[in-house]
Amino acid sequence: MTSPITTERHGDVLVIISNNPPVNALGAAVRQGLEAGLKEAAGDDSIKAVVIRCDGRTFFAGADITEFGRAMQEPGLPTVVDMIEAFDKPVIAAIHGTALGGGCEVTLGCHYRIAVPSAKIGTPEVKLGLLPGAGGTQRIPRIAGVALALEMTAKGDPISAAKAMQAGLIDRLAGEESLAADAIAFARDVAAARPLPRAREKTATADPDAIAAFRKDNAKRFRGFDAPAANIACVEKAADGSSFDDGIAFERTEFMKLMMGVQSAAQRHIFFAERQAAKIDGIAADIALRTIKKVGVIGAGTMGGGISMNFLSAGIPVTIVEMQQEALDRGTGVIRKNYEASAAKGRMKPEQVAMAMGALTPTLNLDDLADCDLVIEAVYENMDVKKELFGKLDKIVKQGAILASNTSYLNVDEIAASTGRPQDVLGMHFFSPANVMKLLEVVRGAKTADDVLATVMALAKTIKKVAVVSGVCHGFIGNRMLMPRQVEANKLLMEGATPEQIDRVHVEFGMPMGPFQMSDLAGVDIGWHRDPTRIENIRDALAAEGRWGQKKSAGFYDYDEKRNPTPSARVAEIIEDFRSKSNLPKREISDEEIIERTLYTMVNEGALILEEKMAQRASDIDVVWIYGYGWPVYRGGPMFWADTEGAKKIVAGLEKHGFKVAELLKSNAETGSRFK
């Protein structure tokens, strides 16, 4: 087998080059090649310095994650990094693209670092529930200081070459097109320099108050996660006067704790699940896709505007349609305001705002959609309205165009049947706010053509969405699983639990908010029948009194002017009134019962979805709930969580409360199997 590592001699400089597409991952063959390259340089007295660089689009962008959980082939990455650092000739890292994770640690082992201005450097291991385990937590603080080390390791966001140079992580900037030559010139400049700058020989100091402030400032971001605390502890160790070797031993212990823990397994599961979700069962990977050069969006409200922004930001022109000029002006005004807010925060340049708005064509005429390649409707969630609209689109829009509904519950097959081209129809369920939320449920109708589905899944990547294929069922994957949670949460209110208890249990579990906080945020009146004299449940009673949630400063909670919630005496009265009318005795509800009835029921529904083949795989369900509903990533999604809890425990909890258990879940409990 050909090694991904080659060497080139440039006079007295040996260049070690990695060519391991797509991202030069530091797999065993790469590590072995780096070791061989160093040995070659060590055995040749005429070589005065070494450059390590990569071909392709990036420097080493991290460890080979497929090796996780398997026996590591020697040399391990820590050994290679130590070998580079101990080398008695200058070693220069030449960085382009991204130097991430293990790639960053390779650069830290080098004595000098040169990078192109567009390069980024970082340690994103925390996002997989880990820490940089090849000395990163010990070398960054020694080279660039504790403050930057905390930011890089505990948050995991990469930094620019300019910021890295300012901090001392990079020694010199190269020309964007001349990295190879500039790195060799740099190597010659430092060839005779001694002593060699080695990170292990430097010291780091820290202000305990600054570390405490960092923890406090990021408490919300780090809530529930184990890895940020471990990263912080390792950086602290680097600055407490301990020897480098003691710091490395501490880092190794903390790394292994995380590696063997459930949280990292969950986060790695989602890493792979997101990539797996893009694959469509039964469709060839090389199927010819339809061309999407122009998109139509019907509806300029919150959803329609947000959907339009996804395409405009990707450089795809959008024609947006409304019924009334006022609604059209308001919708396009919100789009402009959102873009200008992004520009004010430095996320966009003013010319990018102008370009995006210039690609938007507002109109009151459906006929203006005739030449669109994809049309997405985002109108009122009513089947008759949607069927009438799709009947019109069938006559207006060119043949071969894709027609999509943004419905969140309705039957896509019924909508498709209102056209003469059901093969061109599918669901594209965006999540609100559509320009922010990453999830896109792509609903495959019974007659949806393979190339239509494949085109939309590919397009999702273009507009930076994580797409998951769903079959046609009420609520698809996400909202279908949400329903039993909401139903049981409302029953629990009637039996003695309070909104704040139920929400607290969900937040402590790791959700961003509980079911009643979510209802207040979305609007208690959403889907309400609008008849204040027809009061059939607690929500009807709240809506009839104008308690529509945060927008009215009253819903399941009372809100102050800053939208801070407090328990509501009036809501307690309404619940008590309903309970007494229903002759339900009030009882103590345990937190455990809330979990069993609101979360175990979701797992059960997920099992039914898999039985019915409404989702391609269990991990797709996990992706939906991570990216669409805020399920804590450190729990890996509802189906992964169910596997860690154990199917037997889930089944016992469901049966205790009289729920009918899905056959797949029962089977898993009996055989000890995991969801697939």
Side-chain angles (χ1 to χ4, degrees):
M1 180 176 150
T2 307
S3 172
I5 299 289
T6 55
T7 58
E8 288 178 359
R9 186 179 178 126
H10 293 262
D12 56 358
V13 176
L14 187 74
V15 183
I16 301 173
I17 305 162
S18 175
N19 185 11
N20 187 33
V23 294
N24 282 302
L26 286 153
V30 171
R31 299 193 304 273
Q32 288 158 7
L34 288 172
E35 180 184 43
L38 289 171
K39 285 180 177 174
E40 180 185 340
D44 187 339
D45 290 342
S46 67
I47 295 296
K48 303 302 181 190
V50 176
V51 170
I52 297 175
R53 70 169 179 84
C54 296
D55 280 342
R57 58 189 172 93
T58 184
F59 192 73
F60 303 114
D64 185 346
I65 197 169
T66 62
E67 293 184 346
F68 286 9
R70 302 205 312 246
M72 184 67 72
Q73 288 186 55
E74 292 300 327
L77 186 59
T79 303
V80 173
V81 174
D82 288 347
M83 190 184 302
I84 293 169
E85 188 176 56
F87 207 64
D88 61 1
K89 301 173 185 181
V91 183
I92 294 88
I95 307 163
H96 77 293
T98 50
L100 299 180
C104 175
E105 290 176 294
V106 167
T107 74
L108 299 173
C110 293
H111 307 118
Y112 301 97
R113 290 158 290 280
I114 183 171
V116 296
S118 61
K120 292 186 183 301
I121 188 165
T123 53
E125 285 90 343
V126 70
K127 295 179 181 181
L128 293 178
L130 296 168
L131 53 79
T137 67
Q138 302 306 297
R139 289 188 174 94
I140 297 174
R142 285 173 165 85
I143 296 171
V146 165
L148 185 64
L150 290 172
E151 288 285 335
M152 289 180 70
T153 62
K155 288 185 176 178
D157 299 325
I159 62 172
S160 66
K163 184 172 180 179
M165 187 165 175
Q166 191 179 9
L169 272 184
I170 288 173
D171 302 290
R172 192 179 288 188
L173 288 178
E176 202 66 63
E177 303 298 328
S178 57
L179 177 62
D182 291 350
I184 291 167
F186 186 19
R188 292 203 174 107
D189 289 347
V190 298
R194 297 293 186 276
L196 292 172
R198 294 184 171 98
R200 67 164 50 240
E201 293 166 4
K202 300 175 187 284
T203 56
T205 55
D207 174 1
D209 291 341
I211 294 176
F214 178 80
R215 278 193 175 101
K216 184 180 176 185
D217 292 346
N218 292 285
K220 185 177 179 184
R221 177 175 181 154
F222 296 160
R223 179 175 69 89
F225 288 91
D226 293 338
N231 276 277
I232 293 168
C234 287
V235 171
E236 279 184 301
K237 185 71 176 173
D240 72 359
S242 298
S243 70
F244 181 83
D245 288 337
D246 283 349
I248 288 289
F250 184 82
E251 178 189 89
R252 174 57 28 185
T253 300
E254 292 299 305
F255 179 86
M256 292 312 297
K257 275 191 218 166
L258 293 174
M259 173 61 88
M260 304 309 292
V262 171
Q263 286 201 1
S264 179
Q267 288 175 256
R268 283 179 276 134
H269 163 74
I270 290 300
F271 177 88
F272 287 115
E274 181 184 333
R275 283 145 186 81
Q276 190 70 13
K279 296 172 182 171
I280 314 167
D281 290 348
I283 296 181
D286 60 352
I287 188 171
L289 304 180
R290 299 194 186 184
T291 302
I292 307 293
K293 289 185 177 173
K294 186 176 181 185
V295 172
V297 176
I298 304 169
T302 303
M303 282 306 293
I307 291 168
S308 298
M309 287 181 72
N310 290 305
F311 295 99
L312 295 171
S313 299
I316 300 172
V318 173
T319 299
I320 190 167
V321 184
E322 255 297 351
M323 302 286 288
Q324 307 291 333
Q325 188 67 48
E326 184 188 356
L328 188 62
D329 292 344
R330 185 169 58 246
T332 54
V334 169
I335 292 172
R336 179 176 290 280
K337 188 175 161 190
N338 286 342
Y339 276 134
E340 287 173 348
S342 292
K345 291 173 186 169
R347 293 175 188 158
M348 292 179 78
K349 294 175 181 171
E351 55 267 32
Q352 289 176 303
V353 174
M355 195 179 294
M357 292 306 297
L360 180 65
T361 305
T363 180
L364 299 175
N365 190 352
L366 274 178
D367 291 340
D368 291 339
L369 300 174
D371 63 342
C372 288
D373 302 300
L374 165 67
V375 177
I376 305 168
E377 66 78 13
V379 302
Y380 186 59
E381 189 76 337
N382 175 283
M383 180 58 84
D384 291 337
V385 170
K386 290 186 190 285
K387 283 165 73 172
E388 182 185 355
L389 177 58
F390 271 77
K392 289 178 181 175
L393 291 175
D394 191 28
K395 294 181 176 67
I396 293 169
V397 183
K398 68 182 182 183
Q399 289 300 309
I402 298 171
L403 306 181
S405 173
N406 179 52
T407 179
S408 48
Y409 286 98
L410 300 178
N411 188 312
V412 170
D413 289 334
E414 193 176 334
I415 294 170
S418 64
T419 76
R421 43 171 139 172
Q423 73 279 1
D424 295 336
V425 179
L426 45 55
M428 289 178 72
H429 178 210
F430 289 83
F431 286 69
S432 187
N435 55 307
V436 175
M437 295 293 282
K438 286 186 75 172
L439 180 66
L440 174 65
E441 279 184 318
V442 180
V443 186
R444 182 183 201 170
K447 295 185 178 177
T448 302
D450 286 355
D451 66 332
V452 167
L453 183 63
T455 298
V456 170
M457 290 295 285
L459 186 62
K461 284 186 182 175
T462 304
I463 61 171
K464 297 182 178 174
K465 297 297 179 194
V466 177
V468 173
V469 176
S470 170
V472 176
C473 56
H474 187 67
F476 314 127
I477 296 171
N479 284 338
R480 176 172 167 177
M481 288 173 67
L482 187 65
M483 283 184 275
R485 186 184 92 163
Q486 301 303 103
V487 166
E488 289 306 308
N490 283 299
K491 284 183 183 175
L492 285 160
L493 282 188
M494 296 284 284
E495 294 169 36
T498 62
E500 49 272 22
Q501 182 195 3
I502 294 168
D503 285 344
R504 174 185 57 76
V505 168
H506 284 83
V507 170
E508 287 176 357
F509 180 81
M511 298 289 194
M513 63 185 75
F516 301 108
Q517 292 166 319
M518 188 179 81
S519 183
D520 276 0
L521 179 66
V524 176
D525 60 317
I526 297 289
W528 179 46
H529 49 62
R530 306 281 157 178
D531 180 355
T533 64
R534 186 177 136 205
I535 299 174
E536 297 168 354
N537 53 44
I538 293 167
R539 191 192 75 161
D540 286 351
L542 296 179
E545 290 189 9
R547 298 186 67 95
W548 292 1
Q550 288 189 17
K551 59 191 172 188
K552 295 278 193 175
S553 297
F556 282 95
Y557 296 87
D558 295 330
Y559 294 88
D560 63 19
E561 65 281 358
K562 291 183 179 175
R563 294 198 172 187
N564 294 315
T566 50
S568 169
R570 176 60 189 139
V571 170
E573 283 176 16
I574 290 170
I575 293 169
E576 189 55 51
D577 182 49
F578 265 92
R579 188 185 295 116
S580 59
K581 283 178 185 171
S582 304
N583 293 319
L584 279 171
K586 184 176 181 179
R587 62 184 179 84
E588 284 290 317
I589 307 283
S590 69
D591 290 358
E592 180 187 26
E593 182 175 346
I594 292 170
I595 292 281
E596 289 167 347
R597 289 176 58 182
T598 61
L599 298 187
Y600 285 14
T601 48
M602 284 175 53
V603 170
N604 196 46
E605 198 66 38
L608 289 171
I609 286 170
L610 290 171
E611 279 180 22
E612 297 166 18
K613 297 191 173 5
M614 292 294 110
Q616 296 188 105
R617 50 191 83 88
S619 60
D620 284 5
I621 294 174
D622 292 335
V623 169
V624 166
W625 271 84
I626 294 287
Y627 286 113
Y629 298 85
W631 186 280
V633 67
Y634 58 79
R635 294 193 190 271
M639 310 318 283
F640 181 91
W641 172 69
D643 286 335
T644 59
E645 286 284 285
K648 276 187 181 175
K649 182 180 177 184
I650 304 276
V651 168
L654 289 166
E655 288 178 339
K656 179 166 63 176
H657 300 292
F659 292 105
K660 185 180 178 186
V661 180
E663 290 302 319
L664 178 58
L665 185 52
K666 272 189 202 170
S667 171
N668 280 7
E670 288 163 8
T671 61
S673 302
R674 297 173 71 89
F675 286 111
K676 295 185 178 66

